[in-house]
Amino acid sequence: MTTKLEDILKAGSLEEILGTALPYPKEIELKGKITKDVVKELSKIKNEPEWMLRHRLKSLELFEKLPMPRWIVGIEELDLENLVLYSKPEVGEVRGWDDLPESIRRIYERLSIPEIEKKFLSGLTAVFDSESVYSNLKREFEEKGIIMLPMEEAVRKYPDLVKKYFGKIFPAGEHKFSALHHALWSGGVFVYVPKNVKITFPIEAFFVIGSAMEGQFEHTLLVADENSYIHFIEGCSAPMYKGFSFHDGMVEIYAHKNAIVKFTTIQNWSRNVINFNNKRAIVEENAYVEWIEGSIGSKITYTYPSSVLKGEGARTTQYVVSLSNGPYLKDTGAKTFHLAPNTSSKIVSKSISANGGINIYRGLVRVIKGAKNSTSTVSCDSLILDEKSKAYTYPHNQSDEPSANLIHEATTGKLSQDKLFYLSSRGIREEEAKSLIVLGFISEILEGLPFEYVEVLKRVIELEFSEVGGVG
Amino acid sequence: MVMYMLIIENLKVKVEDKDILKRVNLKVGDGELHVIMGPNGSGKSTLALTIAGHPKYNIVEGRMIFEGEDITSLKPEERAKRGIFISFQHPVEIEGVKILLFLQRVLKNLKGIDEVKAYELIFGAIKELGIDESMLQRQLNVGFSGGERKKLEMLQAYLVKPKLLILDEPDSGVDVDSLKVIAGIINRLHKKGTSILLITHYGRILEYLKPQVVHVIKEGKLVASGGIELVNLIEERGFSALEEVVS
Ligand SMILES: Nc1ncnc2c1ncn2[C@@H]1O[C@H](COP(=O)(O)OP(=O)(O)O)[C@@H](O)[C@H]1O
Ligand SMILES: [Mg+2]
């Protein structure tokens, strides 16, 4: 018997795995103009406490006031007023995968999510459209006091804990899309790791947008108490459909003193998704936050994971890997704020542009006065595989602290005819040569991932450059 | 009848509208070692790269027959699979690609050898040839000295054991010790039956080898073919001496 994981490894393309979108039953849909009434309705459906409704309404006001960011392109393709703003698939009470409707379960199964869960995760939350449809934390971890719940449930069950952090790390008023997110957020996961608890295996959240013209606004909040450890993995996928969908998700992380948080995203949306991410971590004294932001799919992606190094000795590493293979745009980067002495940051960006793809790196490293002896190294490597493709780098460093040390390096590599010829003279065809070179280019980042994910990622990249794959 | 490994007929090659090779004819018999000598810019690398199938070199006339089959329009990887191996004069750096993994791929693609078996072969060859093991963890030619690059080319050739080995100046930019190692590998392959086309500018390496035929190329034409005595003539009197031989 072959396992699902093997199916994925053998499949010809992402489309072959996920296929085209199939109809599935929906219980509720909210669409049309984004008004107070829509927000109130949403809050009512979710049976939310008053404070959350107020938070949403305040965010809506901000959304209406804030200007459209000037650096946004591609949003014109997207008619915000015509999106389904909230979509609840028809799902009863779910205790296990078998309780999900066949059409929805199949999507997760084809991506081998249940199998991965069984084998190497501590817990998993699956979000479909606007709702968490499955959430399970293995018992041994529950017993240690770890909380992992769909965000809505956490709002109801742990209001004080949630209130303390929700929207405090990435406030609504930051820009138009963070305001929109806070007004309409739905789905996502809340994780709390108690003091001194170390979760050995990763926790994963997997997001699927099931149909076109939908907005997904999931909210993930992760609180790591003092001296704890967690590795959180986020995966995103969507089948192909006509028309666009919009993703405007948010991740807030709070790493308390001495905590270690690793947050890995492997985004492989279909090329119908316009993907907007809001990700920020606050890092306390001697804590460490590591972002791995891997963007493979989507039509357009905007994502800049940020770390606020708030406590003395706080550290962060931000790995940003972006692949634009085909007429797609990735506008990615990382932001770090050094607010205390002896903080350190490392940003490694690797972008790959092929077949007309465009990558833009935007980075910010800000060191305030008094953040003595802080250090930051930024390296941006761009790999351009052909003449049609492009990469741009816009790093920005700003330091008001004379004792801080900031280093920036950037390289651009082109895949020349001579390199391709060298490999082909060794029997390695062009497609294989490209995936070999791309995998080599990002090997430093792959080394930090669990083996199983590396295998799947390698296969995804091989598919991107094979003749059959490469969603074009 | 002699069995020819490679026959080159009337080969005319252009690069970017410039005529480089002008009607080259050459026959390499099965298991023979041929040497091609000639001054800088005479078209030696062009000939080597054209046989291997570099897309930049346009064949405007003539053809190439390998083991009786016309390979003139075959893709480079197809030529490699049939048993043609080129050791480059200037092997390129390919960042990110680890040598061990690369060699495993090469053996899989060219010889159908699986990873595990390849691993054994690679470590065996490294020991046998006295190459430093740590090289396997490095990236392909990245930061390599000229000598290291040439040795890696030879290691690949040794692992692949091609039918036809084209060596483009394996002796330039290497010290005497490396030169001996490289010549040793060439001799071993030759003994095992590999046909060899050796391009050299200096002739230094010929102290260690016994070629059957020596050709001289000038301005894109083979102007003389003969025995090892041609090498001595060039060493003593330079390429200009050939004007007299030819006329
Ligand atoms: N890739 C190339 N692009 C442009 N000109 C080339 C290229 N390769 C070779 N040539 C030209 O062809 C001629 C022969 O070069 P080459 O074959 O490299 O000579 P050799 O190897 O004998 O030194 C030279 O004039 C050189 O400038
Ligand atoms: Mg040359």
Side-chain angles (χ1 to χ4, degrees):
Chain A
M1 201 186 87
T2 60
T3 61
K4 291 286 170 353
L5 197 59
E6 278 172 41
D7 282 349
I8 291 198
L9 295 174
K10 278 191 212 128
S13 68
L14 185 67
E15 270 60 35
E16 211 175 286
I17 299 166
L18 276 182
T20 3
L22 293 173
Y24 52 89
K26 292 182 180 183
E27 195 181 312
I28 307 175
E29 259 191 16
L30 295 179
K31 62 201 277 186
K33 198 164 158 47
I34 305 157
T35 60
K36 265 189 190 164
D37 287 343
V38 169
V39 170
K40 279 184 188 160
E41 176 72 20
L42 177 63
S43 185
K44 206 172 100 193
I45 293 167
K46 292 185 176 296
N47 197 12
E48 276 175 0
E50 182 63 25
W51 64 269
M52 186 50 86
L53 173 62
R54 281 203 308 274
H55 175 77
R56 288 183 187 276
L57 290 171
K58 211 178 79 199
S59 304
L60 179 66
E61 263 174 49
L62 286 165
F63 171 69
E64 283 160 354
K65 273 192 214 140
L66 287 163
M68 185 62 92
R70 270 182 300 124
W71 41 274
I72 292 275
V73 298
I75 298 289
E76 59 273 14
E77 314 231 25
L78 194 80
D79 183 359
L80 283 176
E81 310 235 310
N82 254 322
L83 282 182
V84 174
L85 303 170
Y86 173 74
S87 164
K88 184 179 189 205
E90 199 179 314
V91 173
E93 195 186 337
V94 174
R95 289 219 178 77
W97 289 103
D98 290 342
D99 298 330
L100 283 174
E102 159 92 31
S103 51
I104 292 177
R105 191 183 68 222
R106 241 194 44 178
I107 291 185
Y108 291 99
E109 279 177 352
R110 302 216 69 169
L111 293 161
S112 83
I113 305 295
E115 188 190 342
I116 289 178
E117 179 195 14
K118 220 185 309 170
K119 284 197 182 149
F120 13 82
L121 296 175
S122 302
L124 174 86
T125 295
V127 176
F128 194 86
D129 291 347
S130 307
E131 286 288 335
S132 305
V133 292
Y134 173 91
S135 188
N136 181 38
L137 181 68
K138 286 181 184 159
R139 173 152 319 134
E140 54 186 297
F141 299 103
E142 225 166 52
E143 282 165 359
K144 286 182 180 163
I146 298 162
I147 301 169
M148 187 197 90
L149 285 175
M151 197 67 233
E152 286 84 349
E153 220 177 307
V155 168
R156 288 193 297 267
K157 275 198 185 153
Y158 301 97
D160 295 337
L161 191 56
V162 172
K163 228 187 217 171
K164 214 167 134 188
Y165 300 97
F166 196 102
K168 302 284 193 315
I169 301 163
F170 206 125
E174 201 92 352
H175 54 66
K176 199 171 182 69
F177 290 102
S178 57
L180 182 68
H181 170 89
H182 275 283
L184 295 177
W185 79 266
S186 179
V189 54
F190 172 73
V191 180
Y192 172 77
V193 193
K195 269 185 197 169
N196 302 321
V197 171
K198 299 188 163 64
I199 310 185
T200 40
F201 294 100
I203 282 187
E204 175 161 346
F206 204 93
F207 303 94
V208 171
I209 302 179
S211 39
M213 298 308 293
E214 269 184 22
Q216 188 179 59
F217 303 91
E218 94 289 343
H219 195 104
T220 296
L221 173 57
L222 213 154
V223 179
D225 217 328
E226 290 181 12
N227 201 32
S228 64
Y229 171 89
I230 179 175
H231 183 185
F232 190 97
I233 298 177
E234 190 186 55
C236 319
S237 212
M240 288 300 284
Y241 28 71
K242 289 207 176 79
F244 296 110
S245 277
F246 180 52
H247 175 254
D248 182 13
M250 184 172 282
V251 175
E252 298 187 284
I253 295 175
Y254 207 105
H256 283 278
K257 190 173 165 184
N258 294 326
I260 295 176
V261 177
K262 295 188 179 187
F263 195 98
T264 301
T265 300
I266 300 167
Q267 179 269 102
N268 201 4
W269 295 119
S270 65
R271 273 53 173 180
N272 306 99
V273 175
I274 293 175
N275 178 38
F276 201 100
N277 269 312
N278 309 280
K279 292 183 163 157
R280 187 174 298 163
I282 293 182
V283 195
E284 287 284 7
E285 191 181 332
N286 290 324
Y288 173 70
V289 168
E290 179 181 297
W291 297 99
I292 297 181
E293 181 75 11
S295 303
I296 301 166
S298 81
K299 178 182 168 62
I300 303 174
T301 283
Y302 299 97
T303 184
Y304 324 91
S306 310
S307 296
V308 180
L309 305 175
K310 186 163 170 265
E312 182 159 358
R315 292 175 302 129
T316 190
T317 305
Q318 288 145 294
Y319 293 108
V320 183
V321 185
S322 305
L323 169 67
S324 288
N325 183 21
Y328 311 112
L329 170 70
K330 300 266 158 41
D331 193 319
T332 62
K335 294 178 186 169
T336 306
F337 302 87
H338 293 260
L339 307 184
N342 302 314
T343 51
S344 69
S345 64
K346 176 174 144 186
I347 296 173
V348 179
S349 162
K350 302 247 178 196
S351 80
I352 303 125
S353 310
N355 294 308
I358 301 173
N359 274 287
I360 298 173
Y361 171 84
R362 276 177 228 278
L364 172 68
V365 176
R366 173 93 176 85
V367 185
I368 66 159
K369 189 153 179 56
K372 288 198 167 56
N373 302 318
S374 290
T375 60
S376 171
T377 61
V378 179
S379 71
C380 295
D381 300 326
S382 314
L383 178 63
I384 300 173
L385 293 186
D386 50 57
E387 299 297 322
K388 291 184 291 180
S389 308
K390 295 192 167 62
Y392 305 94
T393 309
Y394 303 112
H396 190 69
N397 292 343
Q398 205 185 335
S399 175
D400 296 328
E401 172 54 48
S403 69
N405 186 13
L406 279 67
I407 298 168
H408 176 89
E409 288 169 354
T411 67
T412 300
K414 290 208 167 140
L415 181 57
S416 64
Q417 192 182 39
D418 283 336
K419 284 183 194 176
L420 277 179
F421 178 66
Y422 186 91
L423 294 172
S424 66
S425 78
R426 302 307 189 237
I428 299 169
R429 286 177 309 130
E430 184 163 336
E431 305 85 54
E432 192 184 353
K434 282 184 178 168
S435 65
L436 199 66
I437 285 168
V438 168
L439 287 169
F441 180 67
I442 60 170
S443 58
E444 174 190 352
I445 294 163
L446 289 178
E447 276 160 20
L449 286 178
F451 173 75
E452 293 74 15
Y453 289 86
V454 175
E455 287 305 299
V456 173
L457 268 179
K458 276 187 179 167
R459 183 66 190 137
V460 167
I461 294 198
E462 277 164 16
L463 282 173
E464 278 293 322
F465 293 104
S466 70
E467 280 148 305
V468 286
V471 195
Chain B
M1 207 186 102
V2 196
M3 166 69 193
Y4 287 108
M5 183 56 68
L6 177 73
I7 302 173
I8 291 176
E9 288 176 357
N10 254 329
L11 197 67
K12 272 181 82 175
V13 172
K14 269 191 183 193
V15 183
E16 293 168 353
D17 290 333
K18 199 168 132 200
D19 291 314
I20 310 289
L21 295 184
K22 300 154 191 166
R23 296 190 190 287
V24 170
N25 287 284
L26 181 73
K27 284 179 179 171
V28 180
D30 194 357
E32 287 180 354
L33 167 55
H34 286 225
V35 169
I36 298 185
M37 297 181 80
N40 267 331
S42 56
K44 300 185 297 296
S45 293
T46 302
L47 179 61
L49 293 165
T50 304
I51 299 170
H54 196 300
K56 205 164 178 182
Y57 297 84
N58 294 316
I59 299 172
V60 285
E61 233 185 281
R63 54 180 198 154
M64 296 176 284
I65 314 287
F66 178 71
E67 284 196 310
E69 183 192 8
D70 189 337
I71 58 159
T72 315
S73 51
L74 280 189
K75 287 188 170 171
E77 58 267 23
E78 291 304 324
R79 299 182 199 201
K81 276 178 198 156
R82 279 168 175 70
I84 298 177
F85 187 98
I86 176 171
S87 158
F88 288 83
Q89 182 181 0
H90 302 292
V92 286
E93 297 190 4
I94 302 182
E95 295 84 6
V97 177
K98 282 227 182 97
I99 290 174
L100 179 59
L101 178 87
F102 167 73
L103 293 175
Q104 283 173 312
R105 286 280 178 121
V106 172
L107 286 172
K108 179 157 177 255
N109 288 7
L110 293 183
K111 314 285 279 192
I113 295 170
D114 71 59
E115 276 171 45
V116 180
K117 181 82 185 129
Y119 189 90
E120 284 168 17
L121 286 175
I122 293 162
F123 277 87
I126 285 245
K127 271 219 186 83
E128 206 181 324
L129 304 178
I131 294 174
D132 186 5
E133 214 179 273
S134 67
M135 182 178 84
L136 294 176
Q137 297 310 323
R138 293 175 69 183
Q139 298 168 37
L140 200 46
N141 293 320
V142 176
F144 276 34
S145 69
E148 283 175 321
R149 285 179 204 223
K150 297 285 154 88
K151 266 196 209 165
L152 178 56
E153 295 292 284
M154 293 315 302
L155 170 65
Q156 292 176 51
Y158 190 70
L159 283 165
V160 170
K161 304 214 174 3
K163 290 179 182 163
L164 174 66
L165 174 60
I166 305 162
L167 296 153
D168 194 355
E169 302 202 19
D171 50 347
S172 60
V174 300
D175 58 37
V176 182
D177 289 338
S178 299
L179 186 69
K180 280 184 193 162
V181 173
I182 289 168
I185 298 172
I186 296 172
N187 272 326
R188 277 192 218 204
L189 279 169
H190 190 211
K191 271 195 199 108
K192 285 182 182 162
T194 295
S195 312
I196 296 172
L197 193 57
L198 171 78
I199 292 166
T200 173
H201 181 63
Y202 303 101
R204 268 199 308 165
I205 196 165
L206 299 177
E207 286 169 31
Y208 307 97
L209 304 173
K210 288 196 186 68
Q212 272 84 29
V213 188
V214 176
H215 308 270
V216 178
I217 185 169
K218 277 186 86 177
E219 288 162 17
K221 285 184 223 159
L222 289 189
V223 291
S225 294
I228 193 82
E229 73 281 354
L230 271 179
V231 179
N232 300 333
L233 184 70
I234 292 165
E235 297 239 300
E236 277 167 32
R237 299 170 51 195
F239 284 108
S240 58
L242 291 167
E243 310 287 340
E244 299 151 38
V245 179
V246 178
S247 51

